[in-house]
Each structure stands twice: as structure tokens, then as C-alpha cells.
Amino acid sequence: MAIVLGDNRYGKAETRLVRVTRDGDSHGLADVNVSVALSGDLAATHLSGDNSGVLPTDTMKNTVYAFARSHGVGEPEAFALLLGRHFVDTQPQITRARVRIESYGWERLGPHSFRRKGDYVRTAQVDVTGDGVQVVSGLKDFVVLNSTDSEFHGFATDRYTTLPETTDRILATAVDARWRHLSDAADWAESFEGAKGALVNAFVTTYSYALQQTLYSMGSRVLEHCPEIAEIRLALPNKHHYLVDLSAFDLENPGEVFIAGDRPYGLIEGTVTRDDAPPALAEWHP
């Protein structure tokens, strides 16, 4: 039996960075979390401890900070592309650089005053190789809720099924969506807002008989409105809301008072893609 080294990579995870852009009295703010992973001809360090091809992860961290100072941060996709290309171009033993960025939003309150926006986290993942570049944008922790226009019935049952059918329920989820771009050149800000708007529009306007149906509607709407996107993957946890039984207090509850469940929860995942989309350069997932 032979024992061989499989796929491997290494890097610096979660480099926290806040970049203040000072333009007179009016300041800008970028708040990101950057993770870098490199792979390539790295067998020697695993098999014999030869580190001659290992760029220290501390160097990766320093590069993130230095590039933030010299180039600014801007859109997360653009910053990730800049970093990924740097590591592949400057390290001959590295054949792939993956850069993941979480971007945290801030709302302007004044020329140099801000309030953290916590309604979602914007994400970006860039893979740079000698064969090409892949850009994946997205968002996570985007909580949305419909108080009606959702049903769930006609489902399969067995001896363990206790869930009653319903023709009116709350439908709520925390959207985790990632979408793969057709190229590495786009107006990243415009594309992100367009995709987010399409997700919201589909959630609001879809009369849902299942969260799976809502997922497909959301993914389809993004592809219909964003021609620069090849495919989209969504993970939608079903944030259950249970009607409270108030009969012990001689009170009716006509769909007004609910318990917001925590766990366990249903988790619906799926991919919506163009049938002519080119294959992905690298694996990606929510």
C-alpha cells in the first residue's frame, strides 16, 4: 500500500482590517476580514520539513495591510483579485491563490461618523491560477420574513410524522447566497446591488408552497436580471415560527402570537445555473 500526499493548501485566515480613507473632512471606511490560502509545489514541507517554498503566513498578513495602504480596499472582489494575482505572480512555487473576504457595512452618520449595519455580511471569493481567474460574490446572514403568502402541505408522511399541514404560515430565513461571475471584469458594486435586489424582489413576490420553491425563484430572478452571473448557490435555513396555544387563558390566537424557534431547523440548499454556463475553475460553496 502506498501513502501519498493529497490536495493541500495553507495560508493566513481572518486578517481583520479597517481602512480609513481621509479626503479632507469627509472620511470613508472599509471594514473587512481577509483570508488567504495558497497551494502549489508544497510537497517538500509536508514530507521533509523543507520550508524553502513556504511563504510565511505572517507575510501574507503583512501584504494585506500593505496593499490596503498603497492601493486602498475598494470593492472586496477587486481587493481579492489584487492580492490573489500578487501571490501567484511573485511566488513561482504557488499555482493557486484563494482569497476570501467578508465585508462589513457601515452607514454614514456625518462626515467622519458611522453606524455599523448588521443586516448582512457581504462576501467575495477569488481563485487565481495560471489557467484563469474565478470570482464569486455573495452575502450571508441576510434575514428576511414573509408574515403570510406561504403554505406547506401535501408532503410525504410516515409513522413518525407529526407536522400538521398548513395553508398560512410565516416564512423566514437567513439567506446565504453565493454567485459565480462569468468573468473577472465587472462593476462589482453595481452587480452586487443588482443581485441583492433580485433576491429580495423574488422573496417578496413569490407565493410560496415550499422554501425549495422560493429558493429556485430567488436564484432564477438573479440570473434573469444579472447577465454577468453564471450560477448561484443558496443555503436557506427555515427559521420556524410556531403558533402559541393561548387556549389556557381563554384567548384565541388567529395567527398573531408566535414562538420564534432556534433549533433544530430545516436547511434548504440548491444551485440555479445557466445551461450554457462555462464550468467552474475551482470548487466553491456557501
Side-chain angles (χ1 to χ4, degrees):
M1 179 187 70
I3 299 175
V4 297
L5 176 67
D7 291 341
N8 61 88
R9 59 179 179 267
Y10 82 106
K12 181 66 82 176
E14 300 198 39
T15 298
R16 289 291 283 113
L17 162 67
V18 174
R19 172 65 153 90
V20 177
T21 302
R22 301 178 182 274
D23 183 15
D25 292 333
S26 181
H27 294 174
L29 193 67
D31 184 358
V32 296
N33 192 23
V34 182
S35 294
V36 177
L38 307 181
S39 56
D41 184 9
L42 299 170
T45 187
H46 289 275
L47 302 180
S48 65
D50 178 357
N51 293 323
S52 58
V54 177
L55 183 72
T57 65
D58 189 67
T59 303
M60 301 178 200
K61 175 203 68 178
N62 293 340
T63 303
V64 170
Y65 291 134
F67 273 40
R69 174 64 183 92
S70 58
H71 299 283
V73 175
E75 299 299 321
E77 293 88 352
F79 193 53
L81 282 166
L82 188 70
L83 289 166
R85 285 172 170 144
H86 165 79
F87 290 119
V88 170
D89 291 345
T90 60
Q91 299 296 313
Q93 77 283 10
I94 297 302
T95 57
R96 179 186 300 275
R98 169 169 289 179
V99 182
R100 289 176 171 168
I101 295 181
E102 296 179 340
S103 180
Y104 310 104
W106 289 82
E107 176 185 352
R108 180 179 296 280
L109 301 177
H112 50 264
S113 302
F114 304 86
R115 179 184 69 86
R116 173 72 179 269
K117 295 191 297 185
D119 54 345
Y120 65 85
V121 176
R122 181 175 171 181
T123 64
Q125 175 180 305
V126 167
D127 283 86
V128 178
T129 74
D131 298 324
V133 174
Q134 176 174 288
V135 180
V136 176
S137 302
L139 54 77
K140 66 178 184 177
D141 303 327
F142 187 40
V143 179
V144 290
L145 180 151
N146 282 329
S147 58
T148 189
D149 284 355
S150 175
E151 305 182 15
F152 189 57
H153 51 78
F155 45 80
T157 63
D158 65 13
R159 60 179 296 195
Y160 302 109
T161 301
T162 60
L163 183 72
E165 296 187 341
T166 180
T167 58
D168 188 12
R169 67 171 181 170
I170 287 177
L171 183 67
T173 187
V175 178
D176 188 342
R178 313 290 166 97
W179 48 90
R180 178 169 65 91
H181 292 269
L182 287 167
S183 75
D184 61 350
D187 184 323
W188 304 118
E190 180 179 335
S191 179
F192 176 80
E193 290 300 328
K196 179 166 71 73
L199 289 170
V200 171
N201 180 266
F203 183 81
V204 170
T205 60
T206 299
Y207 191 104
S208 179
Y209 294 95
L211 187 51
Q212 289 90 334
Q213 174 198 4
T214 301
L215 180 150
Y216 184 74
S217 177
M218 294 171 75
S220 298
R221 197 73 55 86
V222 169
L223 297 184
E224 290 166 359
H225 288 268
C226 302
E228 73 278 8
I229 294 174
E231 62 180 317
I232 179 170
R233 296 181 180 179
L234 296 110
L236 304 181
N238 198 337
K239 300 179 76 67
H240 301 295
H241 289 70
Y242 306 103
L243 195 67
V244 178
D245 183 1
L246 299 176
S247 61
F249 316 115
D250 295 325
L251 293 173
E252 296 181 349
N253 188 5
E256 294 182 351
V257 181
F258 296 84
I259 297 170
D262 179 24
R263 61 195 66 180
Y265 52 86
L267 179 60
I268 314 302
E269 300 175 284
T271 301
V272 184
T273 185
R274 301 183 189 278
D275 60 5
D276 59 349
L281 176 70
E283 176 54 31
W284 57 284
H285 56 83

